[in-house]
Amino acid sequence: MDFAEKGNQKKSSNNNDNDKVTKNDLNKVWVNWLFFQEACYNYERLQASGFLYAISPVLQKFYGDDPRQMKEALTRHMQFFNTEPYFGLAIHGVTLALEEERHKGEPISDEVINNIKTGLMGPLAGLGDSLRAGTIAPIVVGLCIPLGRQGNLIAPFLLEGILIAIFWPLSRWILRTSYEKGKEGVQEIFRSGLLDKVTKFTA
């Protein structure tokens, strides 16, 4: 294989990567959301700006060369958004799958994307708040309180360390899995023609 063929293969591989969400893209989304989920938090749209910033690397990748589509994507994801921060990453994964299929030419409207996001916000917030804030966190706090009452300075660090060890890997897995399963689900919807049926029914 000569250098020209290797160069063409590398170029082809890069072009393919530009049409899909890669593992590196998912990592960027996860880090952005983890540390900036409530950046510019406000009472009108709550976590919307944090959500937009989190997925911005993928939006830039898909629509960065088209100012009109980029503007539409930014507007699309600045709608009201609020959910539990760790289990709620499932919404990011599904949204990325939808954006990927839209970028490839599937007729996915702004309304479809925002309706799916809105439909998942409440249930995932309820699930996440119940398991994290209502169950796991109180148990961990209960384990660390005796150390704190004894004046042991390791108590608060142990508390945060345990919670991070539980929820950071879990949230990363949720994002990756929801993207992969969401992508399969979106593709299956288009193969079955279900979206057309729903659109006609709700028109």
Side-chain angles (χ1 to χ4, degrees):
M1 182 182 294
D2 59 25
F3 289 109
E5 289 176 341
K6 289 182 179 179
N8 289 334
Q9 286 187 352
K10 185 175 181 180
K11 183 177 181 180
S12 176
S13 176
N14 290 337
N15 289 337
N16 290 335
D17 284 347
N18 287 335
D19 290 330
K20 65 181 181 180
V21 178
T22 64
K23 182 179 179 180
N24 188 45
D25 294 328
L26 290 174
N27 288 336
K28 289 178 182 178
V29 170
W30 180 70
V31 170
N32 284 353
W33 176 251
L34 201 64
F35 292 103
F36 299 101
Q37 59 189 257
E38 294 190 351
C40 300
Y41 186 91
N42 62 84
Y43 289 108
E44 180 182 3
R45 299 177 183 180
L46 297 184
Q47 297 172 327
S49 55
F51 182 92
L52 174 59
Y53 179 71
I55 68 169
S56 61
V58 175
L59 298 181
Q60 181 65 34
K61 182 178 186 177
F62 287 166
Y63 310 118
D65 294 333
D66 188 325
R68 181 186 61 81
Q69 289 194 44
M70 188 64 182
K71 180 180 178 180
E72 291 175 354
L74 295 176
T75 303
R76 180 162 62 248
H77 293 293
M78 270 304 290
Q79 305 304 311
F80 177 89
F81 184 82
N82 189 44
T83 193
E84 195 276 336
Y86 299 105
F87 289 83
L89 270 163
I91 302 173
H92 301 60
V94 173
T95 300
L96 292 176
L98 289 167
E99 288 289 354
E100 182 179 298
E101 295 305 310
R102 175 171 172 149
H103 173 64
K104 291 178 179 178
E106 296 291 357
I108 301 176
S109 67
D110 293 359
E111 290 73 19
V112 167
I113 294 175
N114 281 317
N115 287 344
I116 290 176
K117 287 170 61 179
T118 301
L120 291 173
M121 284 191 300
L124 287 172
L127 174 65
D129 288 342
S130 297
L131 290 177
R132 180 181 65 89
T135 303
I136 297 175
I139 291 173
V140 176
V141 170
L143 294 173
C144 295
I145 282 177
L147 289 175
R149 295 186 66 180
Q150 293 171 11
N152 194 327
L153 294 178
I154 200 174
F157 300 101
L158 181 63
L159 169 63
E160 289 301 319
I162 294 174
L163 292 177
I164 287 173
I166 294 172
F167 292 112
W168 283 22
L170 175 62
S171 65
R172 193 164 179 266
W173 176 83
I174 288 173
L175 174 63
R176 186 184 72 251
T177 303
S178 61
Y179 162 70
E180 293 172 352
K181 298 300 181 182
K183 181 179 178 181
E184 293 173 4
V186 170
Q187 291 173 340
E188 180 60 32
I189 287 173
F190 281 103
R191 284 195 294 265
S192 66
L194 179 60
L195 184 60
D196 292 335
K197 296 176 183 177
V198 172
T199 302
K200 290 179 181 177
F201 180 77
T202 57

